[in-house]
Amino acid sequence: FSKDGLRVVRCRQCHLTYVNPRLKPTILARLYNDDIISPHSYYRETRAADQKTFSKRLDLLQQALGNKKKIRILDIGCNIGTLLFQARQRGWECYGIEINARVKPFFRDSGVNLRIGDVLKASYPKNSFDLIVMNDLIEHIPDPRQLLHKVHELLKPGGILFLVTPDGESFMARVLGTHWIHLKPREHLYYFFQSHLRRLFRETGFTPYSFRHMGRHRSLHTLAEKSASLLGPFSNFILRLFHLFRIDSLVIPFNLFDEYAVLARKS
């Protein structure tokens, strides 16, 4: 089908769902830097909820690393740095890379090493990170296999990759179709099944060992806004109702079981 003027198709052989044709990388970079897609203002608004989400994810990653004390982490697509600032409080050595140059002011005097640009062109030393995080990133990248090769190069032997991405074969994806909250063809170029991710990991030198549907925390305000694709104008009524009862800023755990969280180890 089509959405936002772009075609979403499915491979007849492996059933990968993807956008075809996709916007060129130069156009995508401009859209990110113009705050048209994945705007940093959105992540400012969701920061309180994201702090709760990332705190739980960092607990999980701390366990995965065997409660190692000195951890060197790279967050690819870190935006305003919410996860990295929490990791910094835990004493981790924190690095972030983000394509949107507008996030730079958030990192002043933060103790987090930020680079602006494309990770594929970044000159980090090989085998230098214990952990690389990609929250809601791989589906944005024109060449996911190339990205995973780069991540493999940057991780230390036995290092861990943690990524979160929409589940293209989830119940919500199949039932909601064009109204699925994650169907954003300008941003989300691919919609992976677990089988696609396992194949990508195998071909790029990773051993995945944990797949789970991981939720996140959302404010009622954000939930009402995101329901617009499904509920239309009725979502505005819900938002006004939340505001009237002064509960729009209430943050709750939320899981539609349509996002994969994957842990993979560098083979």
Side-chain angles (χ1 to χ4, degrees), residues 71-75 83-84 87 92-95 129 131 133:
I71 297 171
R72 202 170 196 224
I73 177 178
L74 172 65
D75 186 356
L83 180 141
L84 288 173
W92 297 10
E93 187 179 348
C94 297
Y95 295 77
F129 295 102
L131 169 67
V133 172

Side-chain angles (χ1 to χ4, degrees), residues 119-132:
V119 69
L120 297 176
K121 300 175 183 177
S123 58
Y124 295 112
K126 294 181 180 181
N127 305 314
S128 57
F129 295 102
D130 302 291
L131 169 67
I132 292 181

Side-chain angles (χ1 to χ4, degrees), residues 1-195:
F1 42 74
S2 295
K3 186 175 181 180
D4 299 335
L6 295 168
R7 288 194 313 155
V8 180
V9 302
R10 176 166 290 167
C11 175
R12 290 176 177 173
Q13 293 184 357
C14 73
H15 306 296
L16 176 68
T17 304
Y18 61 99
V19 180
N20 185 37
R22 294 169 291 286
L23 296 178
K24 294 180 180 178
T26 51
I27 296 174
L28 287 169
R30 187 173 72 245
L31 291 173
Y32 284 112
N33 274 280
D34 289 345
D35 256 3
I36 294 172
I37 54 179
S38 293
H40 76 283
S41 57
Y42 168 78
Y43 295 99
R44 287 203 318 270
E45 294 170 3
T46 63
R47 184 159 39 192
D50 289 341
Q51 286 172 341
K52 291 180 179 290
T53 297
F54 293 147
S55 178
K56 288 186 174 294
R57 292 183 184 180
L58 289 171
D59 288 342
L60 171 69
L61 294 171
Q62 183 84 64
Q63 292 176 1
L65 289 160
N67 292 313
K68 183 177 179 179
K69 290 185 179 178
K70 189 174 181 181
I71 297 171
R72 202 170 196 224
I73 177 178
L74 172 65
D75 186 356
I76 304 176
C78 60
N79 208 275
I80 64 171
T82 306
L83 180 141
L84 288 173
F85 298 148
Q86 290 203 321
R88 177 71 177 167
Q89 291 174 2
R90 297 175 182 233
W92 297 10
E93 187 179 348
C94 297
Y95 295 77
I97 186 163
E98 169 60 40
I99 198 168
N100 187 349
R102 299 186 185 215
V103 306
K104 282 196 281 189
F106 292 91
F107 289 83
R108 288 183 188 138
D109 304 318
S110 67
V112 173
N113 184 309
L114 173 72
R115 290 190 187 182
I116 299 297
D118 184 345
V119 69
L120 297 176
K121 300 175 183 177
S123 58
Y124 295 112
K126 294 181 180 181
N127 305 314
S128 57
F129 295 102
D130 302 291
L131 169 67
I132 292 181
V133 172
M134 301 193 305
N135 281 302
D136 308 303
L137 176 86
I138 193 169
E139 67 275 10
H140 292 246
I141 303 300
D143 191 338
R145 184 180 283 103
Q146 187 182 17
L147 172 65
L148 289 178
H149 276 304
K150 181 69 174 183
V151 169
H152 187 276
E153 175 186 292
L154 297 180
L155 275 173
K156 295 178 182 178
I160 288 176
L161 166 63
F162 173 75
L163 68 82
V164 177
T165 190
D167 176 3
E169 60 182 333
S170 65
F171 175 79
M172 300 304 293
R174 287 184 280 113
V175 169
L176 296 180
T178 56
H179 298 293
W180 186 36
I181 194 172
H182 294 296
L183 190 71
K184 298 181 279 187
R186 287 194 301 174
E187 304 177 53
H188 295 175
L189 310 182
Y190 298 94
Y191 303 87
F192 299 104
F193 292 7
Q194 186 177 144
S195 59

